[in-house]
Amino acid sequence: MKQNVLIIGAGGVAQVVAHKCAQNNDVLGDIHIASRTLDKCEAILESVREKGAMKQEGVLEAHEVNALDVPALVALINKTGVQIVINVGTAFVNMSVMDACIETGAAYIDTAIHEEPDKICETPPWYANYEWKKRDLCAEKGVTAILGAGFDPGVVNAFARFAIDEYMDEVKSIDIIDINAGNHGKYFATNFDPEINFREFTGTVYSWQEGEWKENKMFEVGQVWDLPVVGPSQSYMSGHDEVHSLATNYPHADVRFWMGFGDHYINVFTVLKSLGLLSEQPVTTAEGLEVVPLKVVKAVLPDPASLAPNYTGKTCIGDLVKGIKDGKETEVFLYNVADHKDAYNEVGSQGISYTAGVPPVAAAMLVATGEWDAKTMKNVEELDPKPFFTILDRIGLPTRVQVGGIGGEDKAWNE
Amino acid sequence: MKQNVLIIGAGGVAQVVAHKCAQNNDVLGDIHIASRTLDKCEAILESVREKGAMKQEGVLEAHEVNALDVPALVALINKTGVQIVINVGTAFVNMSVMDACIETGAAYIDTAIHEEPDKICETPPWYANYEWKKRDLCAEKGVTAILGAGFDPGVVNAFARFAIDEYMDEVKSIDIIDINAGNHGKYFATNFDPEINFREFTGTVYSWQEGEWKENKMFEVGQVWDLPVVGPSQSYMSGHDEVHSLATNYPHADVRFWMGFGDHYINVFTVLKSLGLLSEQPVTTAEGLEVVPLKVVKAVLPDPASLAPNYTGKTCIGDLVKGIKDGKETEVFLYNVADHKDAYNEVGSQGISYTAGVPPVAAAMLVATGEWDAKTMKNVEELDPKPFFTILDRIGLPTRVQVGGIGGEDKAWNE
């Protein structure tokens, strides 16, 4: 049993995490939130209070901290007495937050892989470059660290584990499909920080196929999937965190990630990239001003948080898993559909933040109850998916299954 | 008879003007070139010397001057003893250069209308906002001022005058069509300063139709023209200087300007404009740096001068003029075809600079010989087009006619 949560970060996902922790503070205990900017933390707590999200009376506090400063994090963990840290800050702070957890014994949960600002798409498997180097230390010290416990990575890892365990003797392939069929009504916008968003698509696309890492370019390999609720959706093979752990845990399966993109997104991306406007290298204007083009693009694009009030439509994220059962080929599709407007009404964020922010709270609840308190480092597919799905069903992200593959018999995962 | 020329400006067009003045210095006399940056003037003179462009031995000198500083211009004109000034500097300096000419009695020739940096697309007719306000003063002082003597405006104004005089009793419409079917081999580039280039397309498109000014947006009205040499070409109705003088001189004709654009140009332009990246208003980055997006776009785009060595293909610019002759409807197409590679080989510039830079030299030669030394202010259609065509035929921009309209019997203008 662990109690009391510290949320690191104060962006759109942190807002969802704070609301969901508040709604479940009977399980989680005190709730603390910390980021570089105290005002942003306080705005989130104000929104939690406005919605009356706290299930029962309890502690709800904001703190200012530099998440790259390990001693400051250690001091904050000790001062607040938290036993669970949910890190939804920028991807650049994972390792410092994890170090603070290892030092204090607090459980660590994150939703995205560590990145260094000056490196894009390092050698696969990505987790081996940073997080997994601390695995032995976590085991030795009995520290629980759950990596990539958002939706993707996170729930999709649990989808894969469940599909394989329940429906097949042998897995052949795992295709993770992430489609946002929502509409924010703007000419163009990214759903999270444009700087991080574009970084995902400017490097090599790694997939695991036929027992080895394959390299492609972004938008090189496309596929249309006819998904439940959102219908036929164009997607492109993309690099993504969960490919790197699933490929390691299921080395005999092909593992690919598919991200949905409309022609319009691709066109805008292509123009900006081709002109050099997505570059992180500074250019000098005729007037002698040195400026990073990507930062100017970020400055003219809508603030992702501003999209939430007018966002409509749904997301569909799922795993198509193929394998062998009783000597015959079989396939199953596990998925969730989320609604942007519902998310905004409940927690004041759009659906992309909602699907990313709800699962780490479910993971924290399982750490609190002991079910996922592993006392070592785990990726999500290394943990029992059933209690995870049970909580997610209840707190906003129900899991459904289509037996026989996409378009097959549709039911709840536990029907 | 006037002698000795001062070229204002040191960009791609000025380079063409300098070469062409040198090739005709038996008529024009001394050649001086002046801009804010002496180095750029000297580089142009070096290129003139490299090509051995001087027809006969003579003066060829570079000077530094701020073309917004009228007393400095007056001093330079007096010191050099020039009687003809060809202004191919930025569009922002027309009125100061003209004032210096009026004060000294030197003839003034330019190729584009005056602009104020903070204003885009002022009230039509544009010439009435600045240049024409000085017409009476020019007449009173006997100063020759030839406005818009590039290709468009310039040669196309002479095309209209000639078509009407020679082929019809009454003019009904003048459609000026400017197609650049060249290929610079870059993903995207503008043919001259991106800042000025994009200014042309972000404002209102004025045309003169049915006796009044009509307003459209850029890329709102499109038309494909099947032109000689370059073939079927997509164009869009655009705002342009010559519409404003031709509409005043031929108020009973519809006057429209059509600029050729490929889908790719329009797409890049639309993405940049829609995102706000063509804005002249500064934005502030997350790091607090204030920057004008258009200046960053300019910084990432290729330098227009760098395009010349690899530019291939041709331009076709012409006037389709319709009217009545002997009671019957008639039409005629006057045009010129220029070649990018030929232009580079001759004067070290691409075809767009070439077509803009050759005509003001022809105009200067006609001022020198007295044929166009009008002792007042004139737009090109107010001058005899025949001696202009005769010189242009000889110095690189021959005029051709298709009788009966585009695709009709094709011949030289004077056949």
Side-chain angles (χ1 to χ4, degrees), chain A residues 187 267 271 274 287 295 300, chain B residues 187 267 271 274-275 287 295:
Chain A
Y187 172 78
N267 181 43
V271 167
S274 301
E287 293 74 22
K295 293 187 184 295
V300 299
Chain B
Y187 173 78
N267 180 43
V271 166
S274 301
L275 294 181
E287 294 74 21
K295 293 187 184 293

Side-chain angles (χ1 to χ4, degrees), chain B residues 364-377:
Chain B
M365 291 164 72
L366 292 171
V367 170
T369 59
E371 286 162 285
W372 274 20
D373 192 14
K375 318 281 187 202
T376 183
M377 180 180 284

